[in-house]
């Protein structure tokens, strides 16, 4: 006897169809699973056997063979427990199942259906193949229901699935109000108005958010670098539904998706002890790293120079390409990684180099060695570098607050709209992502701006990459001002974020 139960798997952040083929044959009782299963799937034999026994069904005393097709793709995880159990029950005559229903879920020994990772990409992918009915763990039902045009039923136990399939219990498809979830985009609990003073740094945050430019904040301890960095997320525009689904797929695969949808732009702040794999992603079973979890949002590296040199250098290619490819013997997996990099660092080991209120105790060689931990290629990929001065006492006690995140965000959204129109026929979305041809086309300078740019290039000895990034920042400044051409003062403002402040080499 043979039957086929539909299920799905995940490769990177993409789902694919898996046919769970179950065969019962005469012979000595055996239970074999083939089709490149990992250890967790091989252990499904014991979970399925106990789950069936504890809900009142005995495993048939026959030779049971389960094939996970396509057999050339490695299958991983515990999501095939439920379809294997349903296949055995179908061949035993307990339930009747069509081949248009997709099953995903892990089983406990008592028959409970536990949540699994990757339900959202599986539903998205299988919907494109014509499947419209999914039975998933109750905890995963919301993320599956985000996909429009399908029915997703959340179940809590194998016994409940049996009753539902036999018409003994009625279940309603999960419903999710997407607009209600997206309306929570700005519920951060922090605001840019919380930061006193730091007007240049706030302006740099605005430019960074408006054009998706990378930013480095340098200054003594307590100056407010971390406080500023954490608030850049509050001035970014809300995620579009397409972006929210894209980000949610990553979090679904990582098992970190809450409420079914990523409504807010992600903000990731890994500790400086994070390894290269933790940042970039990978492992024997490749999983997204911090840069992918920060996709469409912000990756904040506090104490940036304390990260390992190897981990920081690994960021170079993802910053340029907006994605990271993890290569293994079994193949290559690409994860999206389009994020704003925000770094914060002290200028020296003691932190007081350039501090007007405290003396630095570091030697010149110590300062040079500390600052050289950030390589030239990494610094070249950072568009804005800002010195963050300690806040004056008058600013701290002044009851007047600066602009709110909402006010700044409105200007950023206008700049986004300009870029959306500019790049409507291009893969480029933001000024920071412009190609050389797009820079030449969209960064038109006035005669005065050209002269100033030539002087800046000559004096600062900027590389070709730095030159392009300077033009991109100038383009963003002009967009914030609503100007079509780049003016002299736009170049001047962009240049000040490239100048070595306080004789610092960052």
């Amino acid at each position: 006897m043979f039957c086929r139960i539909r299920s799905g798997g995940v490769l990177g952040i993409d789902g694919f169809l898996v046919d769970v083929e179950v065969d019962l044959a005469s012979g000595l009782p055996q239970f074999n699973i083939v089709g490149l299963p990992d250890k967790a799937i091989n252990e499904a034999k014991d979970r399925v056997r106990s789950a069936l026994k504890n809900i009142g069904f005995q495993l048939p005393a026959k030779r049971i063979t389960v094939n996970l097709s396509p057999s050339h793709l490695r299958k991983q995880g515990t999501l095939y427990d439920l379809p294997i159990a349903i296949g055995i029950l179908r061949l035993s005559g307990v339930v009747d199942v069509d081949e248009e229903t997709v099953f995903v879920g892990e089983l406990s020994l008592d028959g409970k259906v536990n949540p699994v990772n990757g339900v959202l990409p599986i539903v998205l992918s299988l919907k494109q193949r014509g499947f419209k009915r999914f039975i998933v763990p109750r905890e995963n039902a919301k993320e599956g229901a985000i996909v429009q045009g399908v029915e997703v039923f959340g179940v809590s136990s194998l016994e409940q699935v049996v009753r539902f399939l036999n018409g003994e219990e009625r279940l309603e498809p999960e419903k999710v109000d997407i607009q209600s979830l997206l309306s929570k985009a700005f519920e951060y609990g922090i605001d840019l108005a919380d930061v006193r003073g730091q007007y240049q740094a706030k302006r740099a945050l605005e430019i960074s958010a408006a054009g998706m430019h990378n930013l480095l904040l340098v200054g003594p301890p307590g100056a407010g670098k971390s406080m500023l960095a954490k608030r850049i997320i509050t001035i970014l525009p809300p995620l579009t539904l397409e972006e929210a689904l894209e980000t949610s797929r990553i979090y679904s695969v990582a098992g970190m998706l809450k409420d079914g949808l990523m409504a807010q732009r992600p903000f990731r702040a890994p500790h400086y002890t994070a390894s290269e794999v933790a940042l970039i992603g990978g492992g024997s079973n490749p999983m997204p790293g911090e840069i992918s979890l920060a996709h469409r949002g912000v990756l904040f590296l506090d104490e940036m120079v304390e990260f390992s040199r190897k981990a920081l250098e690994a960021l170079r290619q993802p910053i340029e390409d907006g994605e990271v490819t993890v290569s293994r013997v079994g193949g290559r997996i690409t994860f999206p990684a389009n994020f704003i990099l925000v770094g914060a660092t002290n200028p020296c080991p003691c932190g007081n180099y350039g501090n007007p209120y405290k003396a630095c105790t570091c030697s010149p060689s110590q300062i040079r060695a500390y600052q050289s931990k950030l390589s030239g290629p990494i610094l070249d990929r950072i568009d804005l570098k800002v010195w963050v001065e300690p806040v004056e006492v008058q600013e701290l006690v002044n009851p007047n607050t600066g602009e709110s995140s909402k006010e700044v965000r409105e200007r950023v959204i206008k700049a986004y709209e300009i870029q959306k129109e500019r790049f409507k026929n291009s893969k480029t979305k933001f000024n920071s992502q412009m190609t050389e041809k797009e820079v030449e086309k969209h960064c038109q300078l006035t005669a005065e701006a050209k002269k100033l740019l030539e002087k800046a290039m000559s004096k600062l000895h900027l590389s070709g990459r730095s030159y392009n990034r300077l033009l991109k920042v100038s383009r963003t400044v002009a967009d914030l001002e609503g100007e079509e051409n780049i003016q002299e003062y736009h170049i001047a403002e962009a240049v000040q974020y490239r100048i070595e402040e306080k004789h610092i080499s960052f």
Side-chain angles (χ1 to χ4, degrees):
M1 293 185 294
F2 166 85
C3 75
R4 178 185 291 108
I5 304 297
R6 304 292 194 171
S7 188
V10 177
L11 187 63
I13 63 167
D14 298 315
F16 63 93
L17 176 65
V18 174
D19 288 332
V20 180
E21 301 171 341
V22 184
D23 180 74
L24 296 185
S26 300
L28 292 175
Q30 288 184 347
F31 196 156
N32 297 313
I33 300 177
V34 297
L36 285 184
D38 68 352
K39 186 175 181 179
I41 297 175
N42 274 318
E43 291 173 347
K45 294 179 287 189
D46 297 316
R47 292 192 296 270
V48 170
R49 180 184 289 110
S50 296
L52 290 173
K53 176 178 68 70
N54 288 316
I55 67 168
F57 299 97
Q58 289 295 327
L59 202 67
K62 294 187 177 183
R63 180 170 181 167
I64 302 172
T65 303
V66 177
N67 178 46
L68 306 178
S69 176
S71 299
H72 68 282
L73 289 178
R74 180 165 293 280
K75 321 301 184 307
Q76 297 165 326
T78 57
L79 64 169
Y80 304 109
D81 293 6
L82 181 58
I84 290 173
I86 294 299
I88 293 172
L89 290 172
R90 181 183 177 186
L91 292 178
S92 302
V94 176
V95 296
D96 185 23
V97 186
D98 59 48
E99 291 191 3
E100 302 304 315
T101 302
V102 177
F103 295 85
V104 171
E106 176 189 322
L107 292 177
S108 292
L109 299 186
D110 61 355
K112 179 182 176 183
V113 180
N114 296 326
V116 294
N117 299 345
V119 167
L120 178 57
I122 289 173
V123 175
L124 278 169
S125 176
L126 268 59
K127 179 198 172 184
Q128 296 174 357
R129 299 194 58 161
F131 293 92
K132 296 184 178 180
R133 194 167 185 251
F134 298 81
I135 295 179
V136 303
R138 185 174 299 280
E139 291 86 345
N140 296 121
K142 282 187 177 181
E143 64 178 280
I146 290 295
V147 183
Q148 301 298 293
V150 299
E151 289 184 327
V152 178
F153 299 91
V155 295
S156 56
S157 68
L158 179 58
E159 190 174 13
Q160 184 183 29
V161 178
V162 172
R163 292 198 303 268
F164 173 59
L165 294 175
N166 289 335
E168 299 170 2
E169 180 176 339
R170 180 178 175 81
L171 294 178
E172 293 295 329
E174 189 75 22
K175 300 294 183 183
V176 176
D177 187 345
I178 295 177
Q179 293 306 317
S180 177
L181 291 175
L182 291 176
S183 67
K184 300 177 182 179
F186 302 125
E187 296 179 3
Y188 292 108
I190 55 177
D191 197 279
L192 196 60
D194 302 335
V195 182
R196 303 295 175 87
Q198 305 295 6
Y199 302 109
Q200 185 187 35
K202 288 180 182 178
R203 174 63 173 175
L205 287 183
E206 181 179 345
I207 296 170
S208 174
M212 290 286 285
H213 298 286
N214 299 324
L215 170 67
L216 178 64
L217 302 171
V218 185
K225 303 185 295 295
S226 298
M227 188 178 187
L228 283 160
K230 291 174 182 177
R231 280 154 179 77
I232 189 174
I233 201 73
T234 67
I235 63 175
L236 288 169
L239 287 167
T240 64
L241 179 57
E242 181 184 358
E243 291 174 334
L245 283 172
E246 187 179 18
T247 306
S248 298
R249 287 164 60 197
I250 300 170
Y251 276 74
S252 176
V253 170
M256 301 169 61
L257 186 59
K258 298 178 181 179
D259 300 323
L261 185 71
M262 284 290 294
Q264 296 179 332
R265 291 188 181 272
F267 181 89
R268 303 295 300 177
H271 193 260
Y272 59 77
T273 56
S275 67
E276 179 188 3
V277 172
L279 280 179
I280 303 302
S284 56
N285 173 23
M287 295 291 288
E290 291 291 343
I291 62 173
S292 294
L293 294 172
H295 182 62
R296 300 296 183 190
V298 176
L299 177 68
F300 175 44
L301 302 184
D302 201 5
E303 305 296 343
M304 188 172 177
V305 298
E306 299 296 344
F307 282 79
S308 73
R309 185 69 172 257
K310 187 177 180 181
L312 289 178
E313 293 303 311
L315 294 175
R316 288 160 57 174
Q317 178 261 332
I319 290 175
E320 289 292 316
D321 299 341
E323 61 184 23
V324 59
T325 300
V326 179
S327 298
R328 293 293 181 267
V329 174
R332 292 154 54 92
I333 295 176
T334 298
F335 295 109
N338 197 338
F339 56 89
I340 299 176
L341 173 64
V342 179
T345 183
N346 296 329
C348 66
C350 79
N352 291 318
Y353 182 66
N355 190 338
Y357 307 110
K358 293 184 179 181
C360 175
T361 59
C362 304
S363 67
S365 60
Q366 286 177 315
I367 296 172
R368 285 193 298 271
Y370 189 80
Q371 295 178 4
S372 66
K373 290 182 180 180
L374 292 184
S375 69
I378 284 291
L379 291 173
D380 242 6
R381 288 166 170 79
I382 297 177
D383 304 342
L384 307 166
K385 306 181 186 73
V386 183
W387 174 262
V388 183
E389 292 274 8
V391 182
E392 299 281 350
V393 175
Q394 293 85 348
E395 292 283 0
L396 289 173
V397 300
N398 187 353
N400 296 324
T401 58
E403 287 185 299
S404 68
S405 292
K406 182 180 179 181
E407 293 173 297
V408 178
R409 186 168 60 241
E410 287 174 354
R411 293 197 297 269
V412 171
I413 290 176
K414 289 180 181 178
Y416 265 48
E417 292 301 321
I418 292 173
Q419 293 169 78
K420 184 178 180 181
E421 178 65 23
R422 176 181 298 138
F423 303 121
K424 61 183 178 181
N425 297 321
S426 169
K427 293 182 180 180
T428 301
K429 301 297 182 184
F430 303 101
N431 290 335
S432 62
Q433 302 168 350
M434 284 191 289
T435 64
E436 284 75 7
K437 288 185 178 180
E438 287 172 332
V439 169
E440 185 177 348
K441 178 180 178 181
H442 299 299
C443 297
Q444 298 298 318
L445 284 71
T446 63
E448 294 78 8
K450 286 182 180 179
K451 290 179 181 178
L452 181 59
L453 181 58
E454 289 172 1
K455 290 181 181 178
M457 288 295 299
S458 176
K459 185 175 181 179
L460 298 176
H461 306 290
L462 298 181
S463 67
R465 180 185 287 114
S466 295
Y467 170 75
N468 273 338
R469 290 189 176 275
L470 181 58
L471 284 176
K472 292 174 184 179
V473 173
S474 302
R475 179 67 270 170
T476 300
V477 175
D479 288 344
L480 286 168
E481 300 293 332
E483 294 283 352
E484 183 176 351
N485 292 325
I486 297 175
Q487 307 291 329
E488 184 180 17
Y489 63 93
H490 299 147
I491 294 289
E493 183 171 3
V495 167
Q496 71 174 323
Y497 300 117
R498 307 292 309 189
I499 294 177
E500 297 176 1
E501 297 279 2
K502 305 273 185 181
H503 306 291
I504 291 174
S505 62
F506 288 125

